[in-house]
Structures are given as C-alpha cells and as structure tokens.
Amino acid sequence: MSVINLVLLLFFPVIIPLASSNSSSFTYNGFKSSNLTLDGLAQITSNGLLRLSNVTKQQTGHAFYSIPLNFKNSSNGSVLSFSTYFVCALVPEFQPLGGHGMAFVIAPTRGLPGSLPSTYLGLFNDSNNGNFSNHVVAVELDTLKSTEFQDINDNHVGIDINGLVSKVAKPAAYYDNRIGSFQNLTLNNRRPMQVWIEYDSIVNLLNVTLAPFQVEKPSVPLLSFSYDLSLVMNQTMYVGFSAAPLLTSTYVLGWSFSINGKAQELSQLPKLPRFGPKKQPKILTIGLPVISILSLFLGVSIVAYHVRRKWKYSELLEGWELDYVPQRFRYKDLYVATKGFKDKELLGTGGFGKVYRGVMANSNIQIAVKRVSHESRQGMKEFVAEIVSIGRLRHRNLVPLLGYCRRKGELLLVYEYMPNGSLDKFLHDQPKCTLNWDQRFRVIKGVASGLLYLHEEWEQVVVHRDIKASNVLLYDHGSDPQTTHVVGTLGYLAPEHTRTGKATTSTDVYAFGAFLLEVACGRRPVEPRASSETAVLIEWVLSLWSRGEILGAVDLNLGSDYVKEEVELVLKLGLLCSHSRPEIRPRMRQIVMYLEGTVALPDLASLGVLESELHFAYSEGFDDLRSSYPSSSQTMFSGSSYITNSLIFTGR
Ligand SMILES: *[C@@H]1O[C@H](CO)[C@@H](O)[C@H](O)[C@H]1NC(C)=O
Ligand SMILES: *[C@@H]1O[C@H](CO)[C@@H](O)[C@H](O)[C@H]1NC(C)=O
Ligand SMILES: *[C@@H]1O[C@H](CO)[C@@H](O)[C@H](O)[C@H]1NC(C)=O
Ligand SMILES: *[C@@H]1O[C@H](CO)[C@@H](O)[C@H](O)[C@H]1NC(C)=O
Ligand SMILES: *[C@@H]1O[C@H](CO)[C@@H](O)[C@H](O)[C@H]1NC(C)=O
Ligand SMILES: *[C@@H]1O[C@H](CO)[C@@H](O)[C@H](O)[C@H]1NC(C)=O
Ligand SMILES: *[C@@H]1O[C@H](CO)[C@@H](O)[C@H](O)[C@H]1NC(C)=O
Ligand SMILES: *[C@@H]1O[C@H](CO)[C@@H](O)[C@H](O)[C@H]1NC(C)=O
Ligand SMILES: *[C@@H]1O[C@H](CO)[C@@H](O)[C@H](O)[C@H]1NC(C)=O
Ligand SMILES: *[C@@H]1O[C@H](CO)[C@@H](O)[C@H](O)[C@H]1NC(C)=O
C-alpha cells in the first residue's frame, strides 16, 4: 500500500496551484483553479493544462482572463507598462504537416466573436481583418506561411495590430546568452517553450522574447517594436489566448501577467501528455504452467495470424521512399480507419478511383482516402515526389493532402475529410437544397483564391488540370454527406488542350470559366440530353449575351434573390475565361481583382469576344471532344504527371 502511494507520488507530482490575482496581476502555475473564460474547443485538462485546440476538429478556441484589466492611466489616457510570461506548446498530429499556430491576445471583449479558424488564428474574419475599430493587439506564433497575409515563412513570430498582416515579424529564434547569438527554434516541435511579452510605456516599446523551456531568459528580445499602444487599446481590455489550428493540439502550461510590474516566474507546471502510442498494460502475474501452455497455443496462432496479416496489410516501400516516411500512412491504419474499405464508407467513384471516408483509430481524425489503381511502376518515383510536394501546399481553400500509402498496383491518397460533400450536388439534378447567391459567390471567390495560390503564390507554378464543381467541397452548410458522383471532365477542357494535350495555367483558367458559368447557371457545361442550341453551356450563355439577355442564363433555383451586378460579372467573366484564344483569357490575379471588385471587368465586345468567332472555335473544340469521348480524362493525361488534379478546393 505504502509502496503504491510512493509510486503515485513519484509519477504524479502534486500540483499546487499558486494562483493569486488582483485587478492588475495574476499568476497561474497550471490552470486548475483559474479564472478563465473559455470558448470553442478550449478546455482545462484534468491535470491543469489549458488546451486551446485538439486535433479532431478545426475550430477556434479562446481562453481569456475573466476580469477586464485597466490598461490606461485614466488621467491622461496613455497605456501603462505591462508584462506577461507564459509557457506553451504546439503538438502537431503529423509532423511536418499540420499547422497554424496560436496567439496571445489583448482584446476589448472576452472572446472574439465571428473570428475564423485556420489562417485567421481565431482572431479575425474576412470582413474585420485590418480594421482599426477592432482594438486588438496580438502576438502570433505562426507555423504556416499564408501568402494572403504576407507571412515570411512557416515558423515565425509576429506582432499583429488589428489585422493578420503582422506589423513586424521574424523567424522564430531565441538569443542564447551563453553563445551570444540567435538560435533557431521550431515552434511546433511538441516541446514547451517560454514567451515573454513586455511593453514599456515610457519609450513605447513592445518586446517579444522566446526561449525553449528551462532556458534562462534571453538578454536580447526576438522582436522589439516601437509603437504607441495607446492608439489601439481601450481603457479596459481582456487578455488571453487564441488558437484554431489544423490537426494540432495547442497547450498553455502556465501564465503570469502584470500591469506596471514584472510578470512572475512560473514553477511546478503541469506536464504535457505523452505523444505517441500508449504504454502496453502490464501483464499480470499468472501461474507459470498456465502461461507455458497458453504461450505454445498462442505461438502457433500468432504465426498463422502474422502470415495472413502480412499478406493482407502488405505495402510497397522502396529505398528512395525513405525520405517520405513522415508523409506515409500505414496501410493497416487506413484499412482499420475505413473499416476495411467497406462499401458503406464509400464517398464516391470517379475516373481516378474510389474515395472512402475513414476515422483514424488513435486520434479520431476524419479522413477521406482515395484509392488510385496504378499498374505501372514507371514514373512512380516522380509521382510520389509530387504527392509529397503537394502535401506542403497550404491554403484556406485547398483541402489538405495529408499523405499517402503505396501497395502493389495501388496508391492511396489521404485527405482531410469535408463533411458536406461536393458542390455539384447542390447544383444539379433537382438538389435537395440549393445554395443561395451569397454562398455561391463566396465559393467562387474561394476557388479563385485557391487557384491564384497554385498559379502564382506558391514556390512553383502548379497547374490543377481538373477544376470542376465536383472537386469543390463545402464546409459549413447543413446537409447530410452523401455519395458524390465525380462527373467526367468533358466540357472543362480548353480547345487547345484537347488538341495539344498540354495543360497550362491558361487551360486551368478555361476550366475555371466553365465552372463560373456552371455555378451561376446551375447547369453542367455540357448537357448531352438538351437540345442542340442549349447543349453546350458556353454557347448558350454567349448567344444570350449577344442578344443582351445574359441574365436569362441565371439558375432558376435562385429565383430573383441575387445581386444582379455580381451575377452579370460572374457570367461575363466566365465567358472571358473560356475564350477559345488562350492569350485573351485573364490571369488568376486579374480574375481575383475582378471578383473582389477592385478592378472593373473590361467590355467583352472590345476584347473581341465575338459570337461568330467563338461559335466556330467552340464547335471545333467540342467536335474534338465528342470524338474523343468516351475516352476518360485519365488516358488523356497519361504520360504527363497528373497528380495535381487530385487537389480539392473548399468553398469556405
Ligand atoms: C496586487 O498586485 C500588485 C502588483 O503586482 C501587488 O503588489 C499586490 O500585492 C497585489 N495585491 C493583492 C491583494 O494580491
Ligand atoms: C476535442 O474537443 C472536443 C470538444 O471540446 C471534445 O469533445 C473531444 O473529446 C476532444 N478530443 C480529444 C481527443 O481530446
Ligand atoms: C472570477 O471572475 C469573476 C468575474 O468574471 C468574479 O466574479 C469571480 O469572483 C472571480 N473568481 C475568482 C476566484 O477570482
Ligand atoms: C497617470 O498620469 C498622471 C499625469 O501624467 C501621472 O501623474 C500619474 O502618475 C500617472 N499614473 C500612473 C499610474 O502612471
Ligand atoms: C501620461 O503620464 C505618464 C506618466 O506620468 C507619462 O509617461 C505619459 O507620457 C503621459 N502621456 C501623455 C499622453 O501625456
Ligand atoms: C473601444 O474604444 C472605442 C473608442 O476609443 C469605442 O468606440 C469602442 O466601443 C470601445 N470598445 C469597447 C468594446 O469598449
Ligand atoms: C466578423 O467579426 C465581426 C466582429 O467580431 C462580426 O461582427 C462579424 O459578424 C463577422 N463577420 C462575419 C462575416 O462573420
Ligand atoms: C471597420 O469596422 C467598422 C465597424 O465594424 C465599420 O463601420 C467600417 O466600415 C469598417 N471599415 C472598413 C475599412 O472596413
Ligand atoms: C535559421 O532559420 C533561418 C530562417 O528560417 C535560416 O535562414 C537559417 O539557415 C537557420 N539557421 C540554422 C542554423 O538552422
Ligand atoms: C526591450 O528590448 C530593448 C532592446 O531591443 C531593451 O533595450 C529594452 O530594455 C527592452 N524593454 C523591456 C521592457 O524589456
């Protein structure tokens, strides 16, 4: 008895919360008895850790000190000096994938209503990002490079004032007092790190200092930013943390804060949970004879079991693949996750193979697994290299590719699961529920921004090759997930593409044009059953446009509930993007500007979008297509690498 107690004491040190608080300073060594207001995924674990997010859901999590703090000298309105110190840890599920970080926040409200997850860090949203009326000061520990917010890299610390474009940012590093120089620090390395944030109101200097856990406080801060916070902050403000990462658990172990004083040291912090598989339970002591008989019996069945299992779960792994091990999933795990690739878990079937829904056993993460049959070994190395490089793409409007697995004659691609299915289901064949114009316009802008990222903002130019409604998955829309039917790519292929077989950014723009018309008209690019004048969507819209009746093309399901100017813009832009001459099609950056309304769409007639010219070109293009139908798009691309078309957009 006493031995057991001793063991418990050794392994579970008693945490004595030393929480002291008055209006201007507090110290939490662990959060067991803390006064925090939590929302979203934020929780206090049983051993006193503050967990802002967990890996199973991507949602915001906030934790704020419940009591508002008086940040300003009431007699002259200038912000008082303050200092805060905390220990936190970012624990990604899959290294090196998984990202977004967390932020320390000073905000006028407890919680940040309306804020978005992922790249928005749970701080802002599309509409209020950058607005001075936010009155928000944040220090972000960001592990993702979002080009839309001009991030410097995927491991940086920045000071954000009212918006996500940091006023100042540096790659995460700490000054090592012994060596006398800066050392790099990986933020999401699953280990605790210390952060000090100090503001000196005399010289208006905001310092941010980082260091690994149990390292002496560096004498030189990482960031030292000169700014008068009196211009941003209100008289009383709340302090706290925000996080909304993808597949990452975010923890705060302890936190101290002080106005007009130095934040206190922390001690006896709670421990982070062990990462990785749980320890095997101990085998109980049973009589030796029983064990020996059982073990003989077991031995035989284990051998038989392993032989079967080895065959059932066999994978292909070659020497050149060893670099990609972090992105590899074990076949066995995928098999278990999809309940043995049961038909019940089937999400859809397409030219490239079947897609299954699954739940990873030890983390409860929902995934979608695409099984692509791949007979030839030729080009496999390039193929896998491409998957891995695509796994590094990160954009709000691209569904993350988490990794892959390879077996004989088969390749499995693993994606994050999007619960609401693909866009085409909400557009065609008497949908149970349609999208209103606002939602459609948001989806269009999202896909445009994802495509701009692929074409112009990533380190290499990525041509998608298969833009279509069934490759756009939806978030945040109430509807049961159902089987998706991946439609053929007929009608999205640029005329020059069918001639040369070469995919370019310009053929992507063509497909995007077809997609725009599809979303606005609620019709597929080609309806083989329709009459000959209306069978090809582009021709039909073009003829309506030339008669000055372009709005006649609008999806009847929308009724009259749409913004006329936006619909007209989308339809005309669709025609322009789908111009038969590639040099006339706009680039994605221009398209995004047209959609945002920052630049007006030029007059189509002046660009030579003449019906007669186009009509001819399209007929030619579609005759090519008709003759090549029913050969699938897969054979069309064979020989070239085609993995990029497995990228899927989200309409969030
Ligand atoms: C309140 O905070 C101040 C400044 O840190 C400290 O000196 C004082 O002792 C605290 N008062 C109480 C009652 O805890
Ligand atoms: C993640 O958070 C949700 C909501 O707070 C909770 O129900 C779930 O148990 C958490 N998952 C894990 C693995 O902690
Ligand atoms: C926690 O904060 C609330 C105000 O939001 C206050 O009423 C309460 O007394 C505080 N509790 C402690 C233990 O400080
Ligand atoms: C507030 O400002 C007044 C006037 O400048 C000054 O006398 C006072 O000491 C300040 N109070 C604090 C707490 O800094
Ligand atoms: C307010 O008072 C403080 C303390 O006396 C001083 O440091 C600060 O400069 C004053 N601010 C303004 C705007 O006068
Ligand atoms: C913060 O201050 C501004 C003016 O300085 C005011 O308009 C706004 O309502 C304040 N916000 C809150 C939440 O008090
Ligand atoms: C954005 O956030 C603001 C402030 O929190 C909120 O009022 C607004 O409704 C949000 N906008 C959207 C589109 O969610
Ligand atoms: C900033 O937000 C305020 C209040 O939410 C709004 O009235 C104003 O138009 C916004 N300004 C910009 C530039 O978005
Ligand atoms: C530290 O990080 C910077 C920027 O990420 C990089 O350029 C530099 O090579 C790194 N230094 C070391 C020693 O790893
Ligand atoms: C902030 O950093 C600067 C050096 O960049 C230092 O001189 C100053 O004392 C620091 N201020 C605080 C409050 O730590």
Side-chain angles (χ1 to χ4, degrees):
M1 191 62 190
S2 59
V3 174
I4 290 174
N5 273 338
L6 185 62
V7 169
L8 281 178
L9 278 173
L10 281 176
F11 285 95
F12 302 95
V14 181
I15 296 143
I16 305 149
L18 283 170
S20 74
S21 75
N22 65 18
S23 61
S24 60
S25 84
F26 56 84
T27 302
Y28 291 130
N29 290 298
F31 295 89
K32 259 190 174 162
S33 57
S34 57
N35 208 356
L36 299 184
T37 304
L38 307 178
D39 71 37
L41 293 181
Q43 283 184 336
I44 297 195
T45 66
S46 55
N47 70 337
L49 289 165
L50 166 60
R51 186 173 62 201
L52 293 163
S53 66
N54 67 30
V55 294
T56 48
K57 275 195 257 158
Q58 188 175 15
Q59 222 187 58
T60 55
H62 297 125
F64 278 87
Y65 183 60
S66 300
I67 303 159
L69 300 175
N70 203 350
F71 264 93
K72 282 188 173 172
N73 179 338
S74 46
S75 61
N76 73 0
S78 75
V79 164
L80 303 167
S81 295
F82 62 85
S83 114
T84 187
Y85 167 53
F86 58 90
V87 176
C88 63
L90 303 177
V91 182
E93 178 70 14
F94 306 111
Q95 225 162 3
L97 304 180
H100 314 112
M102 58 173 286
F104 170 78
V105 200
I106 307 176
T109 53
R110 229 175 348 200
L112 296 153
S115 60
L116 291 175
S118 74
T119 44
Y120 287 88
L121 295 167
L123 293 175
F124 304 107
N125 62 28
D126 289 336
S127 51
N128 70 2
N129 184 29
N131 191 325
F132 63 88
S133 66
N134 290 334
H135 302 284
V136 170
V137 177
V139 173
E140 60 171 42
L141 306 176
D142 196 346
T143 56
L144 195 107
K145 181 175 176 176
S146 324
T147 44
E148 55 189 323
F149 305 129
Q150 297 156 30
D151 282 349
I152 49 170
N153 69 4
D154 60 1
N155 186 53
H156 63 271
V157 180
I159 296 175
D160 298 350
I161 293 187
N162 290 332
L164 285 156
V165 178
S166 298
K167 297 285 175 202
V168 54
K170 276 194 187 156
Y174 70 102
Y175 185 83
D176 190 322
N177 294 341
R178 289 164 310 171
I179 304 176
S181 70
F182 274 95
Q183 303 293 307
N184 286 350
L185 179 66
T186 306
L187 296 172
N188 61 354
N189 66 0
R190 301 184 173 135
R191 285 195 280 272
M193 62 192 151
Q194 311 175 85
V195 181
W196 294 263
I197 299 165
E198 294 149 311
Y199 180 70
D200 182 340
S201 66
I202 309 284
V203 287
N204 294 336
L205 202 59
L206 182 63
N207 286 358
V208 179
T209 312
L210 238 65
F213 193 42
Q214 286 171 340
V215 164
E216 181 195 6
K217 185 184 172 191
S219 56
V220 181
L222 174 63
L223 297 174
S224 201
F225 178 50
S226 172
Y227 198 90
D228 184 1
L229 293 181
S230 312
L231 307 172
V232 188
M233 292 219 238
N234 280 15
Q235 180 75 30
T236 60
M237 300 284 278
Y238 291 90
V239 288
F241 299 95
S242 172
L246 175 70
L247 303 179
T248 302
S249 296
T250 313
Y251 294 98
V252 182
L253 289 73
W255 178 26
S256 65
F257 185 91
S258 176
I259 284 181
N260 268 339
K262 194 168 169 294
Q264 291 194 1
E265 296 289 312
L266 301 173
S267 60
Q268 289 192 305
L269 297 177
K271 294 252 178 327
L272 285 177
R274 254 175 65 91
F275 188 81
K278 289 202 180 73
K279 274 189 215 154
Q280 297 294 327
K282 277 180 201 142
I283 296 167
L284 298 172
T285 342
I286 316 170
L288 202 67
V290 180
I291 288 185
S292 47
I293 294 169
L294 273 181
S295 52
L296 184 74
F297 190 72
L298 266 172
V300 173
S301 34
I302 283 175
V303 169
Y305 173 78
H306 274 281
V307 168
R308 237 195 88 214
R309 206 170 110 112
K310 196 157 182 197
W311 171 78
K312 189 166 156 193
Y313 298 136
S314 66
E315 295 175 20
L316 272 186
L317 179 68
E318 291 170 70
W320 54 264
E321 257 176 297
L322 291 177
D323 284 349
Y324 304 139
V325 163
Q327 285 86 359
R328 247 188 102 109
F329 280 76
R330 284 165 59 203
Y331 182 72
K332 191 183 150 212
D333 294 343
L334 298 180
Y335 188 90
V336 172
T338 56
K339 308 204 173 87
F341 296 100
K342 260 219 184 88
D343 279 348
K344 240 187 81 202
E345 305 296 317
L346 191 66
L347 291 170
T349 311
F352 289 102
K354 292 182 170 175
V355 184
Y356 295 85
R357 199 184 76 94
V359 179
M360 293 302 282
N362 45 18
S363 57
N364 277 333
I365 296 174
Q366 293 200 54
I367 53 171
V369 184
K370 191 170 191 172
R371 287 182 98 159
V372 185
S373 71
H374 200 284
E375 292 308 334
S376 78
R377 284 196 55 244
Q378 233 181 354
M380 190 42 109
K381 212 163 155 174
E382 292 72 20
F383 196 76
V384 169
E386 205 170 339
I387 294 169
V388 170
S389 112
I390 279 170
R392 292 193 293 117
L393 290 171
R394 282 289 177 275
H395 187 273
R396 197 157 63 87
N397 297 106
L398 290 175
V399 176
L401 175 63
L402 300 175
Y404 79 105
C405 172
R406 197 156 79 83
R407 306 186 80 205
K408 192 160 180 291
E410 188 177 46
L411 191 74
L412 298 104
L413 302 176
V414 183
Y415 298 89
E416 196 184 320
Y417 174 70
M418 300 278 133
N420 291 319
S422 60
L423 175 62
D424 60 331
K425 281 190 333 204
F426 293 87
L427 294 176
H428 307 306
D429 305 327
Q430 278 89 45
K432 262 194 279 171
C433 137
T434 61
L435 301 179
N436 65 28
W437 177 251
D438 216 42
Q439 292 163 322
R440 293 187 199 204
F441 198 48
R442 200 145 17 103
V443 169
I444 287 173
K445 289 200 273 194
V447 173
S449 138
L451 205 49
L452 171 63
Y453 171 76
L454 293 180
H455 284 182
E456 300 184 25
E457 292 180 342
W458 201 49
E459 50 206 56
Q460 299 163 19
V461 175
V462 178
V463 178
H464 185 282
R465 296 160 206 265
D466 201 10
I467 295 150
K468 57 187 175 186
S470 59
N471 271 342
V472 176
L473 300 186
L474 301 176
Y475 249 164
D476 293 334
H477 192 278
S479 146
D480 297 332
Q482 277 178 357
T483 311
T484 63
H485 288 287
V486 180
V487 296
T489 339
L490 180 73
Y492 296 92
L493 290 174
E496 82 274 12
H497 192 175
T498 52
R499 276 196 300 273
T500 62
K502 243 173 85 182
T504 61
T505 52
S506 174
T507 57
D508 268 2
V509 169
Y510 181 94
F512 182 70
F515 166 78
L516 288 180
L517 298 182
E518 179 176 12
V519 174
C521 307
R523 292 180 38 160
R524 296 201 172 85
V526 179
E527 294 276 8
R529 278 165 307 189
S531 69
S532 64
E533 310 99 78
T534 58
V536 178
L537 181 59
I538 295 170
E539 289 181 5
W540 181 60
V541 177
L542 196 63
S543 70
L544 286 171
W545 169 74
S546 66
R547 279 186 268 142
E549 297 167 6
I550 194 160
L551 287 176
V554 177
D555 189 351
L556 295 177
N557 282 325
L558 285 173
S560 58
D561 189 14
Y562 55 82
V563 185
K564 196 170 144 277
E565 291 74 27
E566 286 174 0
V567 175
E568 220 175 292
L569 168 70
V570 166
L571 288 168
K572 286 182 177 168
L573 187 57
L575 289 178
L576 186 59
C577 292
S578 299
H579 198 283
S580 59
R581 298 211 335 253
E583 65 276 13
I584 294 192
R585 292 173 208 153
R587 304 189 59 79
M588 280 321 293
R589 188 169 296 284
Q590 286 168 289
I591 294 172
V592 168
M593 290 194 285
Y594 295 146
L595 288 172
E596 294 296 343
T598 45
V599 174
L601 188 69
D603 184 18
L604 294 194
S606 73
L607 287 171
V609 182
L610 295 172
E611 196 194 351
S612 52
E613 181 194 334
L614 270 169
H615 190 85
F616 175 70
Y618 284 117
S619 305
E620 183 192 27
F622 280 104
D623 284 346
D624 280 2
L625 269 178
R626 284 184 184 117
S627 60
S628 68
Y629 198 61
S631 74
S632 75
S633 57
Q634 191 161 7
T635 52
M636 203 163 265
F637 293 127
S638 70
S640 64
S641 65
Y642 57 80
I643 181 66
T644 49
N645 60 13
S646 290
L647 279 168
I648 299 168
F649 296 98
T650 74
R652 59 183 150 185

